[in-house]
Amino acid sequence: RSFARSLLRFLGLIFCGTAAAQAFGGVLVILMFKNYRYLFQESYLSLPGWLALATALILLPTGALAVSISVKCSRTQQGTLMHLLLLLLCLEMSSAALAHSYCVRTASQLESVMGYLVHQHNWTCSQDPGNSAVDVIQRKLQCCGVHNYTDWLKTSSSSWYHPACVPESCCKEKHSHCRGDLGHVEQLSEEGCLKKLEGQLCFAMLYVFWCCTVLSIFELLAGVSNAILMRHQPFHELRIL
């Protein structure tokens, strides 16, 4: 029983401390799909992030309640803690399952979406930097094409009209005079956008996935500890129900 009290107090502090980490993961996922909403049309893809935010809000009172119970046991508080732990477990397992599923699903769609945007992009070898979705992505991530700059040479428009250049958004930031000229390949971003997009997407999703998984284990331990304390105070009435 003494060990259960100490463990419950420790887990309560963990819950309060990890609420910020959980909220960070939720905001990360939401902003990811908001910034690249032109790549992902489905609005429900940010659902794991909203679930993570809801979990973070519930973690704070749950942690405070666990610490309080470890100091002074109360039948009402113990019952409330069990309900909160069950709610958190449902939210986090749902968020973890959705995050893992969406990571695999969206990563498989990115290549076709990026390939389509590159193929449909109407660009010219001029000083106009362009403001299309592809240009925004290439400037933001400092990348070029789907896999590399040679993807621009495979489009019908570039091979027919502009065989010796790529969009200016492929230029590195430090080269202010770059105009996408293939005669100066060293001024272009070497890495493709697909790899960087997949990296950002999977980092955000897997962050939420592992946070929820680890917290679910801690919540099971907290539930067991609380049950041990409740066992030493058997019910004398059913008012808690």
Side-chain angles (χ1 to χ4, degrees):
R1 186 180 181 183
S2 176
F3 176 75
R5 284 180 179 272
S6 300
L7 181 60
L8 194 60
R9 183 183 301 112
F10 172 74
L11 291 173
L13 296 175
I14 290 291
F15 292 156
C16 292
T18 54
Q22 188 78 345
F24 171 77
V27 171
L28 193 64
V29 171
I30 293 170
L31 291 180
M32 168 68 66
F33 287 103
K34 182 180 179 181
N35 292 335
Y36 300 111
R37 57 185 176 274
Y38 37 80
L39 296 178
F40 309 103
Q41 301 298 324
E42 300 89 346
S43 59
Y44 60 81
L45 291 176
S46 59
L47 183 58
W50 291 109
L51 290 178
L53 280 181
T55 301
L57 293 176
I58 301 175
L59 273 173
L60 290 174
T62 303
L65 196 57
V67 173
S68 175
I69 291 174
S70 66
V71 176
K72 183 179 179 181
C73 289
S74 167
R75 178 60 68 184
T76 303
Q77 290 181 342
Q78 288 173 330
T80 304
L81 179 62
M82 281 299 194
H83 284 83
L84 287 176
L85 289 174
L86 181 60
L87 177 60
L88 282 173
L89 195 62
C90 292
L91 286 174
E92 285 171 355
M93 294 307 294
S94 299
S95 182
L98 290 174
H100 185 271
S101 174
Y102 290 170
C103 177
V104 175
R105 177 180 175 181
T106 53
S108 63
Q109 294 177 349
L110 274 178
E111 185 170 8
S112 60
V113 173
M114 282 298 300
Y116 174 79
L117 291 177
V118 168
H119 182 74
Q120 295 295 321
H121 186 33
N122 185 20
W123 55 277
T124 58
C125 291
S126 65
Q127 295 183 0
D128 182 13
N131 293 309
S132 68
V134 177
D135 291 314
V136 172
I137 293 174
Q138 290 187 150
R139 280 194 294 268
K140 183 183 295 185
L141 300 181
Q142 284 295 284
C143 57
C144 186
V146 182
H147 301 285
N148 51 51
Y149 73 92
T150 60
D151 292 317
W152 289 106
L153 307 181
K154 301 173 185 177
T155 61
S156 58
S157 59
S158 63
S159 61
W160 179 256
Y161 297 106
H162 317 291
C165 67
V166 295
E168 290 182 29
S169 55
C170 285
C171 296
K172 296 178 181 177
E173 289 183 346
K174 61 182 180 180
H175 297 291
S176 58
H177 300 291
C178 173
R179 294 294 176 261
D181 186 3
L182 290 179
H184 301 280
V185 180
E186 71 280 357
Q187 298 180 354
L188 306 177
S189 301
E190 298 88 357
E191 195 171 359
C193 296
L194 178 62
K195 184 177 180 181
K196 288 195 171 184
L197 278 172
E198 286 180 345
Q200 286 194 6
L201 173 69
C202 286
F203 172 79
M205 287 297 192
L206 291 179
Y207 179 91
V208 171
F209 172 80
W210 285 112
C211 274
C212 290
T213 301
V214 173
L215 279 172
S216 296
I217 296 174
F218 287 157
E219 286 154 13
L220 288 173
L221 291 175
V224 172
S225 301
N226 192 34
I228 292 174
L229 296 177
M230 294 176 73
R231 183 184 177 190
H232 288 82
Q233 287 182 312
F235 284 109
H236 297 290
E237 54 185 352
L238 301 178
R239 186 177 301 168
I240 185 62
L241 300 179

